[in-house]
């Protein structure tokens, strides 16, 4: 292939270099366009075909259904690794040795206490506040209690901010749920692993010793790994763009949480379960809801279906579907919405509307069913997604800072009024 792209604008031809990735993806580097063409810019709302950066963290091929973190396939990582190993891999680039993992874990454990005044902030929220709003606010508030995390001037500052947020974030996640359930705020233990501590802090009752259920632990590890990164999605792009102004790690993550909240992104896992429950309450007629999803006059969409990038299948959804079956069987839970979900999937896979538009179940279609079987309330599902995505956001923020990327600042094409004289209020 030629090494350049040519663009004809009016009578002028401009040449641009091509950039090739390690998996042979090709991009046209149009950085110079505006300067050499008297102000012409490219436009691509929703960034459907625009690369915002070069990244060595996650590779995905939406046509082939491939997802890899740092070169390792998601299937292998979900089967063989634990969440903390994957977090290390994403953030630092390679699988850790036992020594590296143990140091990382110990450094995190040293940072698992949050300032007790955070409890006052939690107390000020109404009990029915959405946990994503609470989590985003608490993550931002962490900056005030950890001022040394604000200015990152060296790799050491960066490492310290990373182990701090890795340590404190699960506490905030657990406390957000405990507030929702009216349970006293607790802490983990230095004797437990990362995911075990998440479970202890979330599920421990004040009047009994908490015992780790290995089925729940394995399922949670897997779910967190599957959510850990997904290259330049809405929330990750948000983290990178906020961080590009050299805002610290914590406010960048807080912004990512807000972006994740929406039902078109991470909020879909809550929306899926609410949708499945509504279908069940309405008699379980999946055909009726398939019809609604296809009707352009009806705002209803099949939540948990479709993806901006995956146009074949979402490899995470395949793993989660199997896990949902296993976890529910192992825990002895019978959830009728699992059958409704499978029914919808089967119908969609043979329906022309879905096949033509390449709409397949995404990561969120089955995850909520597992979370609910574990005893996690539906409003917390997106918070669990955020917990899994934390290492990905950190890795992307770190990469953006180490590569010294410029501040994110897109252009626009103005379509408003031309210059007009001001009209005094009594003359309008
Ligand atoms: N149900 C019914 N129709 C759908 C659905 C759906 N879930 N998703 C897409 N379509 C249709 C659209 O109406 C459109 O049809 P048209 O071509 O006739 O106009 C076509 O498929 C393409 O859809 P777009 O919205 O243009 O695709 P886009 O890439 O912009 O959106 C998105 C992707 C937001 C994920 C979309 O599929 C959706 O809303 N899905 C439901 C929400 C969801 O599950 N989100 C989670 C995504 S995964 C994640 O963020 C972790």
């Amino acid at each position: 292939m030629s090494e350049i792209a040519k663009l004809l604008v009016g009578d002028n031809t401009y040449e641009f270099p091509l950039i090739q990735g390690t998996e042979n993806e090709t991009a046209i580097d149009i950085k110079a366009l505006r300067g050499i063409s008297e102000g012409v810019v490219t436009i691509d709302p929703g960034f459907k075909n625009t690369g915002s950066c070069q990244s060595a963290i996650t590779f995905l091929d939406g046509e082939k259904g491939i997802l890899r973190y740092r070169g390792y396939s998601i299937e292998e990582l979900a089967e063989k690794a634990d969440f903390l190993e994957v977090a290390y891999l994403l953030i630092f680039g390679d699988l850790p040795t036992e020594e590296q993992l143990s140091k990382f874990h110990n450094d995190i454990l040293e940072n698992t206490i949050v300032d007790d005044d955070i409890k006052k902030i939690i107390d000020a929220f109404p009990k029915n506040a959405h946990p994503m709003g609470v989590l985003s606010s608490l993550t931002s508030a962490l900056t005030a209690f950890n001022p040394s995390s604000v200015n990152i001037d060296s790799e050491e500052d960066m490492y310290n901010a990373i182990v701090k947020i890795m340590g404190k974030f699960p506490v905030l996640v657990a406390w957000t749920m405990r507030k929702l359930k009216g349970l006293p705020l607790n802490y983990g233990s230095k004797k437990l692993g990362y995911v075990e501590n998440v479970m202890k802090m979330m599920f421990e009752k004040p009047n009994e010793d908490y015992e780790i259920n290995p089925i729940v632990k394995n399922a949670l590890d897997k779910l967190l790994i599957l959510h850990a990164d997904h290259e330049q999605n809405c929330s990750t792009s948000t983290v990178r763009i906020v961080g590009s102004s050299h805002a610290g790690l914590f406010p960048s993550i807080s912004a990512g949480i807000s972006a994740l909240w929406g039902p078109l992104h991470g909020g879909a896992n809550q929306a899926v379960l609410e949708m499945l429950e509504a279908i069940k309450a309405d008699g379980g007629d999946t055909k009726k809801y398939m019809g609604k999803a296809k009707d352009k006059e009806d705002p209803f969409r099949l939540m948990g279906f479709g993806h901006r990038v995956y146009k074949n299948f979402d490899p995470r959804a395949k793993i989660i579907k199997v896990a949902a079956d296993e976890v529910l069987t192992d825990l002895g839970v019978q959830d009728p919405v699992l059958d409704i979900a499978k029914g919808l999937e089967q119908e969609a896979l043979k329906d022309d509307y879905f096949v033509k538009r390449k709409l397949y179940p995404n990561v969120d279609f089955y995850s909520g069913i597992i979370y609910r079987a574990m005893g996690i309330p539906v409003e917390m599902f997106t918070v669990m997604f955020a917990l899994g995505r934390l290492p990905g956001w950190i890795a992307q923020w770190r990469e953006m800072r180490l590569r010294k990327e410029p501040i994110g600042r897109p252009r626009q094409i103005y379509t408003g009024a031309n210059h007009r004289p001001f009209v005094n209020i009594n003359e309008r």
Side-chain angles (χ1 to χ4, degrees):
M1 199 201 295
S2 151
E3 304 269 296
I4 54 162
K6 288 186 187 175
L7 179 67
L8 191 66
V9 183
D11 293 334
N12 298 320
T13 304
Y14 304 103
E15 291 189 355
F16 302 99
L18 297 181
I19 294 179
Q20 202 135 41
T22 46
E23 292 286 346
N24 297 325
E25 297 159 297
T26 305
I28 305 167
D29 180 354
I30 51 89
K31 268 202 300 290
L33 173 64
R34 196 166 187 277
I36 58 178
S37 66
E38 291 173 13
V40 174
V41 298
T42 56
I43 190 160
D44 179 17
F47 310 111
K48 290 200 173 195
N49 199 38
T50 295
S52 60
C53 60
Q54 296 188 48
S55 176
I57 301 170
T58 288
F59 171 69
L60 73 88
D61 181 331
E63 301 299 326
K64 296 193 185 128
I66 292 174
L67 173 62
R68 295 184 203 132
Y69 299 159
R70 302 279 189 187
Y72 297 99
S73 78
I74 192 65
E75 289 81 4
E76 228 183 335
L77 290 171
E79 194 194 324
K80 297 179 183 163
D82 73 19
F83 178 59
L84 198 62
E85 266 180 296
V86 170
Y88 186 99
L89 168 71
L90 283 167
I91 298 170
F92 302 111
D94 285 304
L95 284 168
T97 60
E98 274 179 32
E99 201 181 320
Q100 286 168 330
L101 188 61
S102 149
K103 176 176 175 350
F104 187 45
H105 190 212
N106 286 333
D107 292 341
I108 290 171
L109 285 171
E110 286 307 314
N111 282 285
T112 43
I113 306 285
V114 300
D115 194 296
D116 222 41
D117 279 347
I118 288 270
K119 290 180 180 165
K120 291 186 194 149
I121 303 180
I122 295 180
D123 271 347
F125 282 107
K127 205 165 172 191
N128 60 358
H130 195 285
M132 285 297 275
V134 176
L135 184 67
S136 164
S137 310
L138 295 179
T139 306
S140 196
L142 274 185
T143 313
F145 293 96
N146 297 274
S148 66
S149 71
V150 175
N151 296 319
I152 305 288
D153 294 323
S154 64
E155 288 219 32
E156 192 189 346
D157 291 347
M158 200 173 271
Y159 182 79
N160 289 336
I162 290 169
V163 289
K164 269 202 173 98
I165 192 91
M166 284 293 294
K168 296 178 199 306
F169 196 71
V171 181
L172 302 184
V173 164
W175 286 5
T176 302
M177 183 174 111
R178 294 181 82 84
K179 162 83 182 176
L180 193 73
K181 289 190 145 188
L183 288 165
L185 307 183
N186 63 347
Y187 270 112
S189 155
K190 279 195 167 182
K191 292 185 194 137
L192 293 177
Y194 195 82
V195 171
E196 281 97 336
N197 262 326
V198 169
M199 291 170 64
K200 175 179 179 310
M201 287 189 286
M202 287 181 76
F203 303 125
E204 184 179 50
K205 300 216 176 97
N207 56 353
E208 63 187 36
D209 290 338
Y210 181 68
E211 274 186 39
I212 305 287
N213 178 332
I215 299 163
V216 175
K217 149 68 178 71
N218 287 338
L220 189 54
D221 239 329
K222 204 172 275 198
L223 280 169
L224 296 175
I225 290 171
L226 294 175
H227 285 88
D229 195 50
H230 213 234
E231 51 117 304
Q232 308 312 316
N233 55 80
C234 178
S235 56
T236 302
S237 299
T238 302
V239 169
R240 277 184 98 121
I241 208 161
V242 172
S244 77
S245 75
H246 289 195
L249 177 58
F250 303 174
S252 303
I253 301 277
S254 165
I257 296 167
S258 299
L260 187 71
W261 190 352
L264 297 189
H265 191 14
N269 56 12
Q270 175 174 347
V272 169
L273 210 90
E274 286 165 355
M275 173 190 80
L276 294 173
E277 281 297 345
I279 297 176
K280 188 179 103 190
D282 195 23
D285 185 354
T286 47
K287 285 202 170 56
K288 174 175 162 189
Y289 284 85
M290 289 290 290
K292 277 165 75 63
K294 294 189 282 183
D295 180 357
K296 293 288 170 200
E297 302 301 312
D298 192 322
F300 178 81
R301 273 193 167 196
L302 205 53
M303 298 313 288
F305 260 78
H307 197 276
R308 170 61 61 77
V309 184
Y310 291 120
K311 301 298 176 195
N312 181 328
F313 63 90
D314 181 339
R316 302 166 300 173
K318 273 193 168 179
I319 302 172
I320 291 185
K321 184 182 175 185
V322 175
D325 264 330
E326 284 169 6
V327 173
L328 266 61
T329 309
D330 287 349
L331 294 178
V333 174
Q334 276 189 333
D335 193 337
V337 301
L338 182 60
D339 295 329
I340 294 178
K342 285 182 180 170
L344 279 173
E345 181 184 350
Q346 261 169 21
E347 279 174 43
L349 291 181
K350 53 181 195 238
D351 188 295
D352 242 22
Y353 174 98
F354 287 85
V355 173
K356 251 198 212 138
R357 289 171 181 76
K358 301 183 174 175
L359 302 170
Y360 295 88
N362 59 48
V363 67
D364 289 325
F365 194 60
Y366 287 102
S367 61
I369 297 173
I370 309 185
Y371 286 137
R372 186 159 74 171
M374 289 175 179
I376 299 175
V378 74
E379 305 91 309
M380 280 294 294
F381 291 178
T382 318
V383 167
M384 298 311 290
F385 190 150
L387 180 66
R389 186 53 55 89
L390 179 69
W393 286 333
I394 295 172
Q396 301 273 351
W397 174 89
R398 178 176 179 268
E399 179 181 73
M400 181 270 310
R401 287 298 300 264
L402 291 179
R403 290 187 178 208
K404 301 196 187 329
E405 284 180 10
I407 185 167
R409 202 310 186 180
R411 294 282 176 173
Q412 64 162 17
I413 294 296
Y414 175 69
T415 59
N418 293 114
H419 183 234
R420 45 184 175 163
F422 182 78
V423 182
N424 285 327
I425 195 161
N426 55 347
E427 292 164 17
R428 283 173 216 161

